[in-house]
Amino acid sequence: MPIFRWDQSWNPLRDLEREVDRLIQGVEFTVQGIRMPRQYPAVNIFELEHEFLITAELPGMQVQDLELTIANGLLTLKGHRDSPVVDNRDIPEERFRRRERTFGEWQRSISIPDRISDEHLSAEFNDGVLKIHLPKLEEELPRQIPVSSGE
């Protein structure tokens, strides 16, 4: 929400308002409350009976804009979201009054449990929702180790 608002402003004040709002958006906090930078995309991680399920909402993205990798206990999500287009034309920067959605390149890494089956990972992307399935490894039961005499 912009900090400065004038109901009957004339053009110089409207321009000042827009510039102040743009400057404040670049700062990590506001006067009305702290605005902490959020990692993008926001994810939910569930532990189910046979798998861990990670979901992320990625509106406006296409499956070809996503890349998922796993290495050294980290799941990395990478992607690119184009700037908004309205009526088949790009919106110039000076026309934004508020920008809360992320555009451009993004990347996020998530630590994953070491008890998952790397060979059976899968992901699906439908209606802007990414679901990543991390199947759990079969639990190994303790086994008896026979001990022989040293004779």
Side-chain angles (χ1 to χ4, degrees), residues 4 6 10 30 36 43 46 53 64-65 75 78 80 91 93 96 105 108-109 117 124 126 129 132 134 137 140 145 148:
F4 299 102
W6 293 288
W10 63 89
T30 65
M36 300 300 287
V43 298
F46 307 94
L53 175 64
Q64 63 267 19
D65 297 327
L75 173 68
K78 289 184 186 179
H80 175 82
I91 300 173
E93 183 69 31
F96 278 91
E105 301 289 329
R108 178 153 188 202
S109 294
S117 173
E124 58 194 68
N126 294 310
V129 178
I132 306 167
L134 307 170
L137 284 174
E140 292 185 19
I145 301 172
S148 60

Side-chain angles (χ1 to χ4, degrees), residues 41-76:
V43 298
N44 291 325
I45 303 175
F46 307 94
E47 182 173 3
L48 305 175
E49 185 177 349
H50 299 291
E51 71 177 355
F52 292 94
L53 175 64
I54 300 175
T55 62
E57 294 179 6
L58 299 164
M61 296 202 56
Q62 304 298 318
V63 71
Q64 63 267 19
D65 297 327
L66 296 173
E67 178 184 327
L68 304 177
T69 57
I70 189 165
N72 302 321
L74 285 178
L75 173 68
T76 301

Side-chain angles (χ1 to χ4, degrees), residues 40 58-61 81-82 84 96 98-104:
Y40 182 83
L58 299 164
M61 296 202 56
R81 186 190 336 222
D82 293 326
F96 278 91
R98 176 178 283 197
R99 177 178 269 184
E100 295 182 356
R101 291 180 58 192
T102 303
F103 298 99

